[in-house]
Amino acid sequence: MSELDHGKYPEDRILSLKEKLICRDLQILTLQSILGEPHHYSYPSVFVYGHTATGKTYVTETLLKTLKFPHVIVNCVECFSSRMLFEQILNQLQGHSLSFKNEYTSCLQSNTFNEFVLLYKQLVHKQNLHNQTVYIVLDKAERLREMDSNLLPGFLRFQELAEENATVIFLSEIVWEKFRPGTGCFEPLILHFPDYNKADLQKILSQDHPPEFSADFYATYINILLGVFYPVCRDLKELRHLAALNFPKFCEPVQRGDAKEEDTRRLWRNIEPHLKKAMETVYLREISSSQWERLQQEDKEGEHLKGLSIHAHVELPFYSKFLLIAAYLSSYNPARTDKRFFSKYHGKIKKTSFLKKHEKTSNHLLGPKPFPLDRLLAIFYSIVDCRVTPTANIFSQITSLVALQLLTHVGHDDQLNGPKYKCTTSLDFITAVARTVNFDIVRYLYDFL
Amino acid sequence: MATSSVSRGCFVFKPKDSKKRKIPVAADFFNKGDAISESDRLQFSTYESLWQQMKEETERFQDNLNEKIFDSLLSFIKNSHIHLNSKVNDWSYRMRCSEIPTAAVVLGVNVPDHEMTFQRFSDLVKQSLTPHVVCLHGKECTTVKQVLQKVLMHLLGGTVNDEEAEEEDMHHSTPLSQRRIHCSMASLPGWYKAITQTSGSGSPSKKRKSCAVEKEQAPPIVIIFKDLETFLPEVLQNFITICSNYIQQLPLVLVFGIATSPITIHRMLPHAVSSLLCIELFQSLSCSDHLTTVIDKLVLTTKFPFKLSGKVLQVLIVIFLYHDFSVRNFVKGFQLSLLEHFYSQPLSLLCCSLDEANGRIRNLAHGDCERIRQVPSFMRYVDCQDSEKQIELLTNDQYLKDDVQKLLKDLHIYHENYFPVLKCLHVFTSSLPKYPLGKQIRELYVTCLERNVWETEEYSSAFQLLGMMANNELVSLLQKCIDVLKSSKQQKPLTDIRQKLEEFLSKFQKLDDIAPEMHDKEGDENNKTSPEKSLQKKTDLYELQKTLMEMKKSRRSKKLSRFEALRMEVLEFMDKLVRQYLLPPETQPLHEVIYFSGASTIRRHLNATPRTALQTALSKPYNYLQNEALRSEGETITNTAPDICIVYKLHLECGRLINLYDWLQAFVTVVSASEGQDPDKPSKGQVDQVLHARFIRAVSELEFLGFIKPTKQKTDHVARLTWGGF
């Protein structure tokens, strides 16, 4: 069967392909049959989608490279304007790289799709490529949706527009349904790359074992690693990164001579708590991988490196603290309860009868609500013990809090015309702040009455 | 200006030297209405030199403060690309995702200070590691394109100029214009390759001056995000994704300046992006510690003759602690006080080093002497002298000058003793529970400046607490005090104090040896005179009370062990020191020369109240216009006031919504009454066109100032934006 399919290509190339790309046989077969032979006209556009790290880019790239098809691979995140996209394609086609000699400019400049098509045609003829299929691969194609509206339809029909033998391959993590433009749409051929299952991952990860250890030993390690990380992470890249980071710890007993390579249980007991710890720290990027490695080398279990989230405390000026507390109160208390909290003779208000139905749900579940500046200041003046003059500094502190993203400005209307804000801090944060100024914030929160 | 030409015409005179002209221009503002005198100029130059000294001092200690964090950052940047540089092809490195090394620098919320810190940092990096440093501001980078543009401009533009300077034979005369730079990261690898190759092949003598980079090690490219919070998350995410595509070819290092907390990184970047980074955290000094250093180096020192009074210092500290946490603003405030002092105080020309002051005193004119005689503290000083001396001081200029010299010297000595004693007192009080005299030395200093500290309640409670100190604590405090005194100048009274303290210390140490026998003796004494025996007799309540009181008294006087006696002695000595040396500066004659006391001016300048000013202007226009006709008493609306004031006062009487027509009617009534017109006239329904126009203008001015706004709730109404009336 495979003989029949691969018959047209030289044997050694196919072999190297099979070696490089494992667990993606079906996808490779489909792609190959779509691509056909160099001089064949291929399908105008192919849409490849699948999760992160399912081998979309890698498979396409290796396939095109090993089969020696003329191709261009462009990352749409990097080329954020259509002009850059065009120039990048033309540059790559020409083998032109930006360097000091050409003053970092592209050789051909095109601003519109029309220009691009014309230049492309010229270039293809100049490079003598017109009797082969040229492949344009657009990686992270979902970005095309946010660029000029003619780009996506244009590339979908590129073969037709250029009247050349060209195929555009879109690589994306999103399904085609989310792309479909309104007009001028040409339905591409859709190819899905499914997620790797556990066995696939095991197989792929076991492939890259370090030269000084046996493949079986490394496979055991990968098995243990997947046992810990597979429930939370199926990203191949991330798993491979984690495998590389933690492997030295795993083979430590073997190197010391405490255990043999076959002594799986012992090795497992050694590495398992370590991997669990890694899941809480390195995987979440709480501590960086270099710090993690250093920690391993020092091998001090007692010493605990603090992650990023530990440093949650923010030192603020005195009035900023109160402004933030006031903002929190006005974000999470219904405005009608202000009288009860901040005026002296409020009388008794029963929670149930006082509020409308929709206000009975906890405000902390609903999230912060916007409030006008006036209300913020009124609450601020009433919670600060001493008399505060409304100085320019107080007002600029509100703006600073917005700049620090502790408050956000809601709505884009005029700043002068009664601006509205929201408080974006968490309850934990604000209680910590309130504690430093001896303010019992829970007593003032309607949800906790 | 004269010309040698005979003919008439226009001649161009170029200023001779723009730099020379500049200084007098600033100094010209240093007079008060009348022509600049020599003393004004002298005051200004004194100010300038003094400020220069202070500025240098500030920069020096700020560098020292930041040294630690800078060092660790530099070594981080240096080591971040060790793998790439050494081209080690080991397995674990190859298998890992190539993360971008990132330093997260938490700097605290005092954003104004960060500018300086990063400036300093990038200079340092440029000096020691790499010429490729880019600083990015959140405000300038609202799209990925702008970020890339800035990065490329800095990197490519900067190097082209460098090459020009180094290699003239490469005729590359025009620097890359912004238009020509292809705004894509793709041009960077080419550029970087070119750079590293030229530096590798270039002769070592040429390269040596540019930077001390080792030949094998390619210099990293450092991109600094000064204020991470102000960057748009999408921009940052995209930029990082792009960077990660090039990390194999370019040794990029990112530096995030974070004002709040490192969690921000996780809040801004999703896992897909943050997994591209290798983030390490760096924490800078807290701003409060920073302020302590600033106060220690600028205020609590005899290095500079200029001093702040308690109130001014209080204002500056309050602005720091309550409002902005910004050390830069504090130093600016300090500069403003310095400027204001030299501007407003004519005697400030004596506010310089002692030798200089002596010279200046000798050259004082008669007018200046008269001015000295009128200074309150000097007048008090004169009153205390005997009558002969009084006459001499008030009439003989030469005698006065000699005396002023002496007084200034006394003042100087007063300060030299003041600060060490203050520090000693702080050593004692700062270890007490609940800090009765303040935790920081600045609090203690402000108290000492404002009043006799020994008369305050806090002082006595502090000494009560000190009276209960244990032996070892006291010994360590004494040791610290001795260290403080050692570090200050070695002069007569201070060395005496130190000796005395050392004596105490040795006594305490001896105490331990004697202690056991002492205890026995005490025990004997207690047995001999035991008042408890009297208790066994039957007594009435009154007697019992009396005996108990006596017992208490006797116990207190008797039970003084040697340690307690010594402790008492030490405390008495400290108390004596405080009373002798920590007199408030107001008691010193001629303190006005060096103490700046314009707290209200400083407050007005640094902590402005725009709203209050606006309301004062609108409700009491006399305050600003100083026109006698506007002087009004009470809350009546004067008709002579500007239109906007009338409209403002009328609107205060309204509720949340104001009917424009009623408002107009009221306005017309007020104004026409003022103009002596018949008040019945408007009732015809016809409003004078001019009055109408004036009213509309006033209302729109009020809207512009933010007091009212148009509303959709009711037609021909406007909404009030302020609460309450007067």
Side-chain angles (χ1 to χ4, degrees):
Chain A
M1 161 88 188
S2 67
E3 288 265 317
L4 213 127
D5 275 318
H6 301 313
K8 305 140 201 167
Y9 304 113
E11 198 65 31
D12 54 328
R13 286 195 198 167
I14 301 303
L15 271 180
S16 77
L17 253 185
K18 279 192 127 178
E19 212 172 275
K20 276 184 200 156
L21 310 169
I22 44 176
C23 304
R24 289 278 89 138
D25 295 337
L26 192 67
Q27 284 75 28
I28 295 169
L29 272 181
T30 327
L31 259 182
Q32 270 186 357
S33 49
I34 294 169
L35 302 184
E37 282 188 53
H39 56 273
H40 285 168
Y41 260 75
S42 175
Y43 200 77
S45 45
V46 181
F47 184 83
V48 178
Y49 75 99
H51 257 287
T52 352
T54 45
K56 302 177 298 288
T57 317
Y58 186 63
V59 166
T60 322
E61 203 180 326
T62 341
L63 206 62
L64 290 171
K65 262 189 193 149
T66 26
L67 300 179
K68 302 233 164 91
F69 284 150
H71 66 277
V72 174
I73 297 174
V74 185
N75 188 333
C76 294
V77 178
E78 198 184 324
C79 304
F80 44 83
S81 72
S82 43
R83 188 186 149 178
M84 282 174 73
L85 197 63
F86 299 149
E87 290 182 3
Q88 181 89 348
I89 294 172
L90 296 174
N91 282 341
Q92 281 197 28
L93 211 56
Q94 214 179 13
H96 172 96
S97 68
L98 305 171
S99 70
F100 184 67
K101 297 208 175 60
N102 51 36
E103 291 192 346
Y104 315 107
T105 47
S106 336
C107 50
L108 299 167
Q109 292 189 350
S110 65
N111 282 317
T112 62
F113 210 93
N114 200 13
E115 274 175 31
F116 170 63
V117 169
L118 284 175
L119 287 169
Y120 174 83
K121 272 160 111 175
Q122 284 171 12
L123 202 62
V124 164
H125 280 274
K126 226 195 300 178
Q127 305 262 338
N128 236 346
L129 292 171
H130 52 279
N131 50 8
Q132 301 182 53
T133 319
V134 177
Y135 293 94
I136 300 174
V137 181
L138 299 175
D139 201 353
K140 301 263 188 322
E142 58 268 17
R143 294 300 171 113
L144 288 175
R145 297 178 302 172
E146 290 138 34
M147 292 195 230
D148 293 348
S149 55
N150 68 341
L151 270 184
L152 190 58
F155 274 116
L156 282 169
R157 292 175 178 275
F158 189 65
Q159 199 176 71
E160 188 184 324
L161 291 170
E163 296 171 315
E164 288 291 341
N165 190 356
T167 295
V168 182
I169 301 176
F170 297 89
L171 305 179
S172 172
E173 290 176 12
I174 306 179
V175 291
W176 167 246
E177 279 68 33
K178 303 261 177 187
F179 274 72
R180 199 170 278 137
T183 51
C185 171
F186 178 89
E187 287 290 322
L189 213 62
I190 295 171
L191 183 60
H192 180 226
F193 275 52
D195 287 353
Y196 293 115
N197 57 30
K198 201 170 173 181
D200 289 343
L201 286 174
Q202 167 85 38
K203 215 161 144 194
I204 299 169
L205 285 170
S206 308
Q207 270 230 319
D208 33 46
H209 65 91
E212 56 267 38
F213 291 97
S214 71
D216 281 346
F217 178 63
Y218 193 72
T220 327
Y221 167 62
I222 292 299
N223 198 9
I224 295 170
L225 183 91
L226 281 180
V228 176
F229 281 104
Y230 189 71
V232 291
C233 171
R234 306 193 175 179
D235 186 336
L236 180 61
K237 263 193 250 169
E238 194 72 4
L239 283 171
R240 179 181 278 165
H241 178 74
L242 288 166
L245 273 185
N246 294 306
F247 188 61
K249 182 82 182 173
F250 180 69
C251 51
E252 211 176 59
V254 177
Q255 277 167 340
R256 274 204 310 251
D258 290 356
K260 282 193 188 122
E261 287 197 10
E262 297 80 44
D263 208 350
T264 324
R265 271 194 70 82
R266 198 157 181 190
L267 290 171
W268 180 77
R269 237 180 296 132
N270 175 42
I271 193 73
E272 220 240 344
H274 187 72
L275 288 179
K276 287 240 164 91
K277 206 170 136 202
M279 188 160 73
E280 286 159 11
T281 52
V282 200
Y283 172 63
L284 296 174
R285 295 301 189 277
E286 280 288 299
I287 66 176
S288 73
S289 23
S290 57
Q291 280 172 325
W292 180 249
E293 279 185 328
R294 239 176 289 147
L295 213 66
Q296 272 182 359
Q297 277 164 14
E298 285 161 10
D299 201 28
K300 281 179 208 154
E301 289 297 328
E303 195 193 22
H304 191 71
L305 197 68
K306 283 174 185 165
L308 291 181
S309 304
I310 300 291
H311 304 270
H313 175 65
V314 177
E315 248 184 277
L316 286 170
F318 188 71
Y319 285 147
S320 293
K321 283 178 186 166
F322 273 109
L323 279 170
L324 201 60
I325 293 170
Y328 191 84
L329 292 177
S330 28
S331 249
Y332 286 97
N333 280 349
R336 303 182 317 135
T337 58
D338 284 354
K339 200 178 160 204
R340 184 221 173 284
F341 286 118
F342 304 111
S343 73
K344 253 183 193 163
Y345 309 103
H346 52 75
K348 276 252 161 102
I349 305 168
K350 272 193 182 169
K351 191 174 181 179
T352 40
S353 59
F354 176 61
L355 285 179
K356 287 175 198 153
K357 207 175 185 182
H358 66 92
E359 281 173 334
K360 279 178 191 163
T361 40
S362 164
N363 287 301
H364 281 81
L365 292 177
L366 295 171
K369 292 190 182 60
F371 53 86
L373 177 66
D374 292 345
R375 192 169 160 228
L376 168 71
L377 286 175
I379 294 181
F380 170 70
Y381 290 128
S382 81
I383 59 175
V384 178
D385 284 337
C386 45
R387 232 179 74 87
V388 193
T389 41
T391 60
N393 274 328
I394 298 279
F395 290 105
S396 72
Q397 273 177 67
I398 297 173
T399 324
S400 311
L401 288 174
V402 174
L404 296 176
Q405 293 190 333
L406 296 171
L407 300 183
T408 44
H409 188 235
V410 183
H412 291 284
D413 52 339
D414 194 4
Q415 274 274 14
L416 295 172
N417 203 353
K420 283 188 170 182
Y421 299 95
K422 256 187 198 182
C423 181
T424 57
T425 52
S426 63
L427 181 63
D428 287 341
F429 183 88
I430 206 74
T431 32
V433 168
R435 208 176 303 126
T436 58
V437 285
N438 291 325
F439 181 81
D440 187 11
I441 189 161
V442 177
R443 254 188 47 216
Y444 285 86
L445 279 170
Y446 184 70
D447 283 350
F448 299 106
L449 273 189
Chain B
M1 217 174 272
T3 61
S4 52
S5 171
V6 198
S7 60
R8 285 212 292 184
C10 289
F11 298 93
V12 177
F13 293 97
K14 280 188 180 165
K16 271 168 199 144
D17 191 352
S18 58
K19 269 184 192 166
K20 262 186 190 168
R21 279 172 67 91
K22 217 174 173 183
I23 299 161
V25 166
D28 280 345
F29 294 105
F30 232 70
N31 60 349
K32 276 134 256 135
D34 30 312
I36 348 155
S37 65
E38 196 50 45
S39 65
D40 284 337
R41 201 158 280 163
L42 201 61
Q43 267 166 303
F44 183 70
S45 64
T46 324
Y47 155 73
E48 274 202 322
S49 69
L50 197 56
W51 171 237
Q52 199 56 39
Q53 285 172 28
M54 285 179 172
K55 209 171 124 193
E56 277 161 17
E57 175 75 16
T58 334
E59 276 164 9
R60 202 162 40 239
F61 71 72
Q62 272 175 348
D63 280 356
N64 288 340
L65 277 180
N66 288 326
E67 203 177 3
K68 211 175 135 208
I69 184 170
F70 281 172
D71 278 351
S72 51
L73 265 174
L74 283 179
S75 73
F76 168 77
I77 293 174
K78 207 168 163 185
N79 295 331
S80 57
H81 281 288
I82 213 108
H83 283 293
L84 193 74
N85 289 325
S86 58
K87 305 237 160 48
V88 178
N89 228 359
D90 71 329
W91 172 83
S92 75
Y93 179 66
R94 208 159 13 94
M95 291 317 300
R96 278 171 47 180
C97 305
S98 35
E99 297 170 310
I100 310 172
T102 306
V105 189
V106 182
L107 288 163
V109 292
N110 45 337
V111 181
D113 296 349
H114 298 178
E115 182 67 35
M116 208 163 55
T117 318
F118 275 120
Q119 188 57 45
R120 193 72 201 114
F121 174 63
S122 70
D123 286 350
L124 242 143
V125 173
K126 273 179 195 162
Q127 271 168 28
S128 58
L129 279 178
T130 164
H132 318 307
V133 182
V134 187
C135 288
L136 296 176
H137 256 302
K139 282 263 154 53
E140 301 161 342
C141 304
T142 47
T143 60
V144 185
K145 191 179 172 189
Q146 282 170 326
V147 179
L148 282 177
Q149 217 160 28
K150 282 223 80 167
V151 171
L152 292 170
M153 275 280 286
H154 267 275
L155 292 177
L156 306 188
T159 40
V160 168
N161 289 337
D162 266 4
E163 303 238 319
E164 264 188 316
E166 280 178 20
E167 301 163 52
E168 271 128 28
D169 54 333
M170 261 188 78
H171 41 87
H172 209 87
S173 48
T174 48
L176 295 176
S177 64
Q178 192 178 347
R179 191 190 56 80
R180 282 233 296 281
I181 290 182
H182 188 68
C183 194
S184 140
M185 203 70 172
S187 42
L188 271 186
W191 162 82
Y192 191 74
K193 215 182 254 170
I195 286 295
T196 40
Q197 270 164 9
T198 48
S199 69
S201 62
S203 62
S205 61
K206 265 184 192 168
K207 249 334 273 211
R208 201 168 44 202
K209 65 169 182 193
S210 66
C211 56
V213 182
E214 295 99 295
K215 283 288 154 307
E216 308 91 85
Q217 199 178 336
I221 299 168
V222 182
I223 299 173
I224 300 174
F225 295 82
K226 279 186 183 170
D227 37 0
L228 191 74
E229 280 89 353
T230 45
F231 279 87
L232 294 175
E234 307 90 69
V235 173
L236 208 62
Q237 287 162 21
N238 283 348
F239 183 71
I240 292 171
T241 320
I242 295 173
C243 282
S244 79
N245 291 341
Y246 287 94
I247 189 68
Q248 303 285 3
Q249 302 157 55
L250 295 169
L252 289 164
V253 179
L254 306 183
V255 178
F256 291 160
I258 301 172
T260 48
S261 69
I263 298 186
T264 326
I265 300 179
H266 288 315
R267 209 162 51 179
M268 291 177 80
L269 307 175
H271 187 253
V273 179
S274 68
S275 65
L276 301 171
L277 302 175
C278 176
I279 306 166
E280 226 162 285
L281 192 67
F282 297 87
Q283 197 106 30
S284 83
L285 204 67
S286 84
C287 2
S288 170
D289 292 346
H290 203 155
L291 178 75
T292 310
T293 327
V294 172
I295 288 183
D296 191 47
K297 299 280 177 182
L298 284 186
V299 181
L300 300 177
T301 171
T302 48
K303 212 181 217 168
F304 309 112
F306 173 71
K307 295 277 174 300
L308 297 176
S309 76
K311 286 228 171 62
V312 179
L313 191 61
Q314 189 74 41
V315 168
L316 290 181
I317 290 176
V318 161
I319 290 178
F320 180 89
L321 290 177
Y322 282 47
H323 291 292
D324 57 6
F325 267 178
S326 163
V327 174
R328 197 188 69 153
N329 287 356
F330 182 85
V331 175
K332 280 260 179 280
F334 193 78
Q335 186 189 6
L336 181 68
S337 339
L338 185 70
L339 184 65
E340 190 64 35
H341 178 64
F342 278 97
Y343 177 72
S344 59
Q345 176 61 260
L347 289 180
S348 59
L349 85 163
L350 297 180
C351 180
C352 50
S353 68
L354 259 187
D355 306 334
E356 244 178 296
N358 284 342
R360 285 183 191 173
I361 290 168
R362 254 173 265 131
N363 298 334
L364 280 184
H366 177 71
D368 294 324
C369 294
E370 279 306 309
R371 228 176 259 145
I372 292 177
R373 286 182 186 122
Q374 280 156 18
V375 169
S377 68
F378 188 76
M379 278 156 75
R380 273 202 301 276
Y381 166 75
V382 171
D383 286 343
C384 300
Q385 308 301 320
D386 48 34
S387 54
E388 255 175 65
K389 205 175 171 192
Q390 277 184 6
I391 295 165
E392 281 289 311
L393 279 174
L394 292 179
T395 52
N396 187 345
D397 277 0
Q398 194 52 46
Y399 189 85
L400 176 85
K401 282 177 189 175
D402 292 342
D403 215 59
V404 167
Q405 277 183 8
K406 199 182 87 1
L407 286 176
L408 281 183
K409 185 141 194 292
D410 287 349
L411 206 55
H412 186 73
I413 293 169
Y414 160 78
H415 284 128
E416 271 185 351
N417 299 330
Y418 190 95
F419 294 119
V421 174
L422 181 75
K423 280 173 192 166
C424 287
L425 180 62
H426 178 242
V427 164
F428 270 86
T429 57
S430 62
S431 58
L432 293 175
K434 282 194 179 169
Y435 312 106
L437 279 170
K439 193 178 179 183
Q440 305 278 355
I441 192 164
R442 53 175 183 253
E443 297 161 48
L444 182 63
Y445 182 51
V446 170
T447 325
C448 290
L449 281 178
E450 292 203 321
R451 59 189 88 90
N452 293 334
V453 68
W454 57 89
E455 284 167 6
T456 59
E457 242 172 70
E458 292 86 6
Y459 181 82
S460 44
S461 70
F463 266 75
Q464 255 171 23
L465 287 170
L466 283 173
M468 292 180 253
M469 270 216 161
N471 190 353
N472 51 350
E473 281 175 305
L474 208 54
V475 168
S476 73
L477 287 184
L478 280 175
Q479 191 56 53
K480 270 192 220 160
C481 280
I482 290 166
D483 292 343
V484 166
L485 291 171
K486 262 182 195 163
S487 62
S488 60
K489 269 187 187 161
Q490 304 298 322
Q491 264 179 350
K492 194 61 193 152
L494 290 180
T495 44
D496 287 350
I497 294 170
R498 207 181 85 209
Q499 272 166 13
K500 186 82 183 159
L501 286 179
E502 273 164 354
E503 229 169 80
F504 279 130
L505 198 60
S506 61
K507 271 188 193 165
F508 272 116
Q509 274 150 2
K510 272 181 210 154
L511 208 60
D512 292 337
D513 312 331
I514 313 166
E517 20 185 314
M518 282 304 293
H519 271 298
D520 294 348
K521 254 186 210 169
E522 263 171 49
D524 292 346
E525 272 169 37
N526 260 358
N527 283 343
K528 266 179 218 162
T529 54
S530 54
E532 277 125 75
K533 277 179 187 166
S534 57
L535 257 179
Q536 287 159 0
K537 285 185 279 176
K538 254 193 176 177
T539 41
D540 58 7
L541 203 63
Y542 174 73
E543 292 244 330
L544 179 69
Q545 211 171 9
K546 212 171 152 189
T547 18
L548 280 173
M549 290 280 269
E550 266 171 22
M551 270 167 66
K552 204 176 162 195
K553 248 185 218 168
S554 62
R555 192 172 289 163
R556 194 184 280 167
S557 57
K558 231 181 222 145
K559 247 204 155 179
L560 274 184
S561 68
R562 276 201 55 184
F563 163 66
E564 280 165 331
L566 203 54
R567 182 168 66 187
M568 199 75 132
E569 217 176 312
V570 171
L571 293 184
E572 267 164 23
F573 178 70
M574 275 311 290
D575 189 48
K576 208 184 84 205
L577 278 185
V578 169
R579 281 167 201 266
Q580 190 178 351
Y581 293 108
L582 291 188
L583 292 164
E586 274 86 58
T587 56
Q588 304 298 314
L590 284 185
H591 68 88
E592 285 92 344
V593 171
I594 56 173
Y595 276 88
F596 173 64
S597 54
S600 60
T601 329
I602 292 297
R603 192 183 294 122
R604 210 168 51 233
H605 283 306
L606 294 180
N607 205 1
T609 54
R611 191 143 177 187
T612 323
L614 194 60
Q615 268 165 353
T616 322
L618 290 174
S619 52
K620 298 187 185 76
Y622 174 76
N623 238 336
Y624 290 96
L625 296 176
Q626 300 287 320
N627 184 344
E628 280 308 313
L630 295 177
R631 176 169 275 179
S632 70
E633 62 292 315
E635 298 308 312
T636 55
I637 305 172
T638 38
N639 29 37
T640 44
D643 291 345
I644 187 170
C645 299
I646 299 172
V647 169
Y648 172 76
K649 282 208 174 164
L650 288 170
H651 112 288
L652 287 179
E653 290 159 10
C654 301
R656 219 184 71 76
L657 289 176
I658 308 169
N659 186 330
L660 272 174
Y661 187 74
D662 293 348
W663 202 4
L664 171 67
Q665 289 300 329
F667 176 74
V668 169
T669 318
V670 171
V671 173
S672 50
S674 73
E675 282 161 6
Q677 282 166 1
D678 185 9
D680 293 340
K681 217 174 166 185
S683 64
K684 285 173 198 161
Q686 203 60 351
V687 180
D688 184 17
Q689 294 275 314
V690 178
L691 278 184
H692 198 169
R694 277 168 61 185
F695 173 73
I696 288 173
R697 191 177 70 179
V699 167
S700 53
E701 277 170 352
L702 219 50
E703 188 186 339
F704 176 69
L705 291 175
F707 284 95
I708 54 168
K709 71 170 183 185
T711 173
K712 281 171 191 151
Q713 288 176 16
K714 265 182 174 178
T715 45
D716 67 24
H717 277 64
V718 287
R720 262 185 82 177
L721 293 171
T722 50
W723 332 286
F726 286 90

